[in-house]
Amino acid sequence: MPPENPGTDGQAKRGVPLDEGEAEDLLRGICFKTGPPRKVGVELEWLIHDREHPEVPVSEDRLVAAADAVRAVPLSASLTFEPGGQLELSSVPADSLMECVDATAADLAAVRDTLGRADLAPVGLGVDPWHPPHRLLREPRYAAMERSLDRSGPAGRAMMCTSASIQVCLDAGEEEPGPLGYGRRWHLAHLLGAVLVAAFANSPFQRGRVTGWRSTRQALWAELDPVRSLAPSGRLAPRDAWTAHALDTPVMCIRGGDGPWEVPDGLTFRDWMRGGGPRPPVRADLDYHLTTLFPPVRPRGHLELRMIDAQSGEDGWVVPLAVTTALFDDPEAAETVYRTVKPLAETAGPLAAPRNPLWTGAARDGLTDPELGAAAITCFEAALDALPRIGASKAVRDAVADFHERFVARGRCPADDLTDHTPGFAPLQGRGIRS
């Protein structure tokens, strides 16, 4: 979930009302900023559990004290907390994979040390396996979000308060066609995304029960909202598709000072510009609206890949970051992987991700799906070949190779290891998840 809260209601009142043409021009100009891929970033969300008794809920007072302690730590990344108390680290854009890995690892070490002094630990799972949703943040934004998402059922609260992910941020790509062109990368992200869901699925439990999904987190996103969590139409060019999607998605809320904020039902941003809201929207409202759209791939000038479950262990997060970066930014790997995943479009069919058969199968079946399993093997082999070319360290290459051997080559994902030991959730209480 995005921590941004651009603009204030006061700014909105002083702004110049937007018309449709201006909004479309703004969206086309900011969604894909093209050029040779040079930057990489990562956003890591973590559940916060008691280090020795993760099945026991952490009290609100204890979480607040821990958050205050972590905020006092000097970090290179920006630090935010999600509505249920999850911690998020958002790295600054780095010039290379290793610069991103090294800076983020240093920040995480400091965060772990601070939480450890309170007998707490950051936990890498896509969904909290024990605890029901409980919203701690009481800002008007989250109250409005809760009211809006409640219209589609309980998935919204679960997503807000009990989910955690790894979001990989990469440059949009070059203006020209080819393996590094932004159009190719956009299309690749929506097919490779299903492979990433399947390979890194790590959330088979919810509220103490096996859910039947290897990525319960992805299943929650698919249930979230009729439009808000969908990818844009694949029938349009990327800029046109995102522009139409953003303007034709209902606004989550209309800000109004200290709140409560108005939560309209079915008012699209386009409708609002045409006079449907309580006041005309301005640029700050459009900026804010964009932060309330949760597609699996979000264009923010760069591409934000949002489909990967949080990973267990101290360096589990490194593997999806390294694999995804290698497959997008190394031209040889990008060409190989595009040829590999292109046939998956037939399985996906006409429905948008994540509600099409390809993404549903990835979340439910992981790499036991033969088509996804075969694609994942090719993708990981291409990543392993590419990692030396993009300067990955031996430690990073070894981590990817170990994951490939342990899971991908065997048609498994992290969720399979967890459900192999369902009685007592034994692996969840072991060293691997508490680190």
Side-chain angles (χ1 to χ4, degrees):
M1 286 173 43
E4 308 98 333
N5 190 5
T8 67
D9 188 56
Q11 289 172 324
K13 289 178 180 177
R14 291 193 298 269
V16 177
L18 276 178
D19 64 34
E20 288 184 56
E22 291 169 333
E24 289 174 351
D25 289 344
L26 281 168
L27 286 166
R28 289 193 179 95
I30 65 178
C31 58
F32 295 94
K33 295 178 181 177
T34 54
R38 292 193 177 98
K39 299 289 186 180
V40 57
V42 68
E43 299 177 20
L44 303 179
E45 295 174 343
W46 302 88
L47 307 172
I48 304 300
H49 284 173
D50 184 274
R51 190 165 55 180
E52 298 300 327
H53 301 285
E55 73 283 2
V56 177
V58 179
S59 70
E60 183 170 344
D61 288 347
R62 196 175 169 200
L63 281 172
V64 169
D68 289 342
V70 174
R71 288 191 184 99
V73 177
L75 303 170
S76 65
S78 63
L79 172 73
T80 54
F81 287 87
E82 297 297 308
Q86 311 98 304
L87 179 152
E88 179 177 318
L89 286 176
S90 301
S91 75
V92 298
D95 291 327
S96 69
L97 170 66
M98 288 313 304
E99 182 181 314
C100 183
V101 168
D102 291 344
T104 304
D107 286 341
L108 276 172
V111 169
R112 284 194 178 95
D113 181 66
T114 302
L115 291 175
R117 290 197 290 271
D119 291 324
L120 298 173
V123 172
L125 290 170
V127 170
D128 193 304
W130 292 287
H131 307 136
H134 175 61
R135 181 165 60 89
L136 302 180
L137 301 186
R138 298 181 176 88
E139 289 91 339
R141 168 185 172 92
Y142 296 115
M145 180 182 292
E146 187 174 83
R147 287 173 57 201
S148 176
L149 296 180
D150 277 350
R151 291 174 177 146
S152 300
R157 294 192 183 206
M159 176 277 294
M160 290 174 63
C161 300
T162 67
S163 70
S165 70
I166 294 171
Q167 298 175 18
V168 179
C169 300
L170 300 168
D171 283 330
E174 299 172 343
E175 190 71 28
E176 297 76 17
L180 299 183
Y182 82 94
R184 171 76 69 86
R185 286 160 74 88
W186 177 249
H187 187 51
L188 173 64
H190 289 90
L191 295 175
L192 178 61
V195 179
L196 298 175
V197 169
F200 296 110
N202 193 36
S203 51
F205 302 118
Q206 187 181 31
R207 295 197 177 195
R209 300 170 60 184
V210 177
T211 64
W213 297 85
R214 284 170 168 82
S215 177
T216 302
R217 175 184 167 274
Q218 189 59 55
L220 291 172
W221 280 106
E223 294 178 22
L224 192 63
D225 182 282
V227 181
R228 194 172 308 281
S229 62
L230 292 184
S233 169
R235 296 185 297 273
L236 300 175
R239 288 189 176 99
D240 293 338
W242 179 247
T243 297
H245 180 75
L247 296 184
D248 293 329
T249 297
V251 297
M252 179 173 281
C253 57
I254 296 177
R255 294 169 296 160
D258 294 333
W261 294 351
E262 183 174 344
V263 182
D265 189 2
L267 176 74
T268 69
F269 201 90
R270 195 183 302 276
D271 294 335
W272 190 5
M273 290 188 293
R274 293 177 177 178
R279 58 172 175 79
V282 299
R283 169 66 187 271
D285 293 311
L286 179 61
D287 292 341
Y288 185 85
H289 175 61
L290 296 178
T291 74
T292 70
L293 306 182
F294 309 132
V297 184
R298 188 164 61 176
R300 301 177 59 195
H302 59 274
L303 299 182
E304 182 183 78
L305 280 73
R306 304 169 51 84
M307 71 288 296
I308 301 169
D309 278 2
Q311 299 293 293
S312 304
E314 287 194 10
D315 61 357
W317 59 274
V318 172
V319 177
L321 171 61
V323 168
T324 306
T325 303
L327 296 182
F328 273 83
D329 287 0
D330 179 81
E332 183 178 336
E335 188 64 37
T336 297
V337 171
Y338 184 73
R339 291 196 304 267
T340 298
V341 302
K342 191 175 180 180
L344 298 178
E346 185 174 346
T347 301
L351 297 178
R355 293 208 182 117
N356 61 45
L358 177 67
W359 283 66
T360 299
R364 183 186 60 236
D365 302 326
L367 297 185
T368 65
D369 178 290
E371 189 177 33
L372 288 167
I377 288 173
T378 301
C379 291
F380 268 74
E381 289 173 349
L384 286 166
D385 286 343
L387 284 170
R389 296 194 291 268
I390 64 171
S393 69
K394 184 177 185 302
V396 168
R397 300 196 307 269
D398 287 348
V400 174
D402 289 347
F403 189 98
H404 178 41
E405 181 179 351
R406 179 179 177 183
F407 295 115
V408 178
R410 300 169 61 202
R412 293 173 61 84
C413 62
D416 293 314
D417 272 12
L418 297 178
T419 53
D420 281 350
H421 303 87
T422 300
F425 286 4
L428 301 187
Q429 296 170 327
R431 182 176 179 182
I433 192 170
R434 291 207 316 253
S435 57

